[in-house]
Amino acid sequence: MDTGVKGPRNAEALADPGLREGGWAVLVEDGIIREADRPDALRARHDAAPFVDLGDSLVVPGFVDPHTHPVFTGTREDEFELRNGGKTYEEIAKAGGGIRNSARRLRSSSEDELTNDLLARLDGFLELGTTTIEAKSGYGLSTESELASLRAIRRANAEHPLDLVPTFLGAHEIPDEYREDREGYIRLLTNEMLPLVAKENLAEACDVFCEDHVFSVDESRRILLRARELGLELKLHADEIKPIGGAELAAEVGALSADHLVAISEEGIRRMREAKVVPVLLPATSLYLNLGKDAPGKRMLNEGLACALATDFNPGSSPTRSLPLVMTLGCIKYGMTAAQALGAATWNAACAIGREGQVGALAPGCLADLVVLDLPNLRSLPYRFGENFVRTVVKRGEIVVTNGRRTGHAA
Ligand code: NIG
Ligand code: FE
């Protein structure tokens, strides 16, 4: 499962999944893959090492979800119904719903409650084969609640086998108390929240929701440049609804990734390719919001961009943790093959969160994160849909899911 290509992989490089037919084994030490070879060759070199037989099965790297919003309080079924009745996501947001609705609720939770709620959501990722997620704050929108959200991510990461890579998304929305003072909120982000996040080392990256009804390109640039000054990597929610130049901004500031991109311009595609920004495509979100259109993933792939796939797990626009579902959508909507969809949700996803060569491949040096699938071949992975076919999950060398259920937990 390592084709030797460095950096995020374009469609051509993803086409070869590096499958090893007829048996493959990995030597695991301290949770890391040290060697990978034919089973007999590996056993000859390490005859004393305990051997775990995963059977005659399809084994793939643990999935990597490079875009999630897992810290929230309460769910938003009411807005789902409003949208199905004809209201748009933007209309609901402008009327005080959406992210601000979640922010009002999250602010009533303590750090302990946020941590417990978050922990309760993480087994579901493992059971669907995901072993690493990027996890954003962004439903606090105040210094206290944003820091509490990031501390909850840190604590959950320490307590749960799933790996969480933290991103600060204080610039997710303008909170209620700053609606008449946008500038005041941007100053709070750049002068108070970001320095505290950096000081406590609470996030690896900073993200901004750059969109017509949220942060403009100029406002996003100010926030991102401040974050970079403080040593953070950059990410962007870009051009989800309108083509306002979010992708171009991501290229300009050298972001790790630009995500959504439903309304990306031709110029945006060109600039992202040149700047090697990873497009993170979120097809479950455009489906769930019934946007009636999708990111031009096929065109991006044809033009040589190295796309990743993510769930965008959040209580408003994508309440799913299933990367297999997202892979199916990637095949249908962007014309990906099974191998390309898998690569987009493993290797390229790792690149989109600064974890290249550490997760997302069954290769020496990577974490021993493996998923055993109850499927006859790789093409069945996106072909099957709406069911869970994950049998066993190994995280850092430990079995954490057995027969599709978190090990040691009642069914
Ligand atoms: O990625 N686009 C911005 N943020 C989320 C939606 C969050 C929400 O509606 O709560 C997203 O889709
Ligand atoms: Fe998002």
Side-chain angles (χ1 to χ4, degrees):
M1 258 289 168
D2 179 28
T3 56
V5 180
K6 296 280 171 258
R9 295 174 180 168
N10 62 19
E12 196 188 335
L14 289 179
D16 170 14
L19 276 187
R20 320 286 175 159
E21 309 273 353
W24 196 244
V26 293
L27 178 76
V28 178
E29 219 176 52
D30 300 329
I32 295 174
I33 298 175
R34 300 291 180 198
E35 290 179 44
D37 206 338
R38 297 261 163 225
D40 45 351
L42 204 62
R43 288 184 88 167
R45 290 201 295 278
H46 303 277
D47 56 350
F51 186 81
V52 181
D53 187 355
L54 294 173
D56 184 13
S57 335
L58 178 65
V59 181
V60 297
F63 306 136
V64 178
D65 194 338
H67 183 138
T68 82
H69 307 248
V71 190
F72 53 85
T73 301
T75 46
R76 304 202 324 246
E77 303 83 343
D78 47 344
E79 293 182 5
F80 178 63
E81 287 193 357
L82 283 175
R83 282 201 305 280
N84 296 337
K87 288 245 178 308
T88 68
Y89 182 75
E90 264 180 301
E91 283 165 354
I92 295 169
K94 280 188 183 140
I99 296 164
R100 284 190 285 150
N101 178 0
S102 284
R104 271 172 237 124
R105 298 192 203 187
L106 185 142
R107 288 174 177 187
S108 66
S109 299
S110 67
E111 187 186 310
D112 283 346
E113 287 166 335
L114 291 178
T115 308
N116 288 335
D117 285 357
L118 173 58
L119 281 166
R121 295 180 187 123
L122 300 185
D123 284 354
F125 281 101
L126 286 181
E127 289 176 353
L128 288 158
T130 298
T131 46
T132 300
I133 64 170
E134 181 256 17
K136 303 174 196 292
S137 67
Y139 291 116
L141 309 181
S142 69
T143 304
E144 187 190 346
S145 296
E146 283 297 310
L147 292 181
S149 302
L150 290 171
R151 291 187 191 119
I153 293 171
R154 172 175 287 177
R155 285 168 59 182
N157 183 47
E159 282 179 38
H160 197 275
L162 190 77
D163 279 316
L164 292 88
V165 178
T167 294
F168 171 64
L169 179 57
H172 199 192
E173 183 44 299
I174 307 275
D176 292 344
E177 64 279 18
Y178 281 96
R179 297 307 281 184
E180 305 307 319
D181 180 19
R182 306 174 62 82
E183 187 52 34
Y185 189 60
I186 295 168
R187 275 202 306 272
L188 184 71
L189 285 164
T190 54
N191 298 349
E192 185 172 294
M193 290 195 211
L194 272 167
L196 289 171
V197 168
K199 189 165 153 221
E200 247 189 84
N201 210 4
L202 281 169
E204 293 188 18
C206 172
D207 192 348
V208 176
F209 191 2
C210 178
E211 192 64 56
D212 223 15
H213 67 285
V214 204
F215 294 92
S216 71
V217 168
D218 285 340
E219 291 167 343
S220 304
R221 181 187 290 106
R222 279 170 58 197
I223 299 162
L224 292 172
L225 291 182
R226 178 73 179 124
R228 185 160 70 196
E229 225 169 64
L230 291 161
L232 295 169
E233 295 284 358
L234 309 181
K235 294 186 145 274
L236 216 58
H237 279 68
D239 302 328
E240 177 178 1
I241 299 165
K242 295 195 181 136
I244 65 166
E248 289 88 334
L249 176 63
E252 175 193 320
V253 299
L256 269 181
S257 74
D259 306 24
H260 284 292
L261 308 171
V262 174
I264 188 173
S265 67
E266 286 295 332
E267 175 70 1
I269 295 181
R270 195 178 62 73
R271 299 275 302 278
M272 281 186 48
R273 185 185 51 229
E274 282 166 11
K276 295 196 169 29
V277 179
V278 179
V280 176
L281 305 178
L282 309 164
T285 309
S286 28
L287 173 78
Y288 197 74
L289 292 182
N290 203 10
L291 291 181
K293 57 180 179 171
D294 220 293
K298 180 88 194 147
R299 215 166 66 240
M300 291 188 208
L301 290 166
N302 285 343
E303 301 214 5
L305 275 75
C307 300
L309 288 168
T311 60
D312 194 16
F313 174 62
N314 76 73
S317 62
S318 185
T320 182
R321 286 164 288 192
S322 175
L323 272 172
L325 167 68
V326 169
M327 287 183 233
T328 298
L329 295 174
C331 293
I332 296 171
K333 291 172 176 244
Y334 314 136
M336 289 175 162
T337 62
Q340 289 167 337
L342 176 64
T346 51
W347 182 272
N348 282 0
C351 294
I353 57 171
R355 289 287 189 281
E356 178 184 347
Q358 298 171 46
V359 294
L362 299 183
C366 283
L367 293 182
D369 297 351
L370 284 70
V371 183
V372 183
L373 299 168
D374 221 344
L375 295 172
N377 53 48
L378 180 56
R379 290 160 93 187
S380 311
L381 168 54
Y383 162 75
R384 294 274 293 275
F385 145 79
E387 298 168 13
N388 193 8
F389 31 77
V390 169
R391 193 167 69 211
T392 307
V393 178
V394 175
K395 177 67 193 168
R396 292 179 183 257
E398 303 286 331
I399 292 181
V400 292
V401 170
T402 316
N403 292 325
R405 287 284 170 187
R406 183 77 160 83
T407 310
H409 287 226

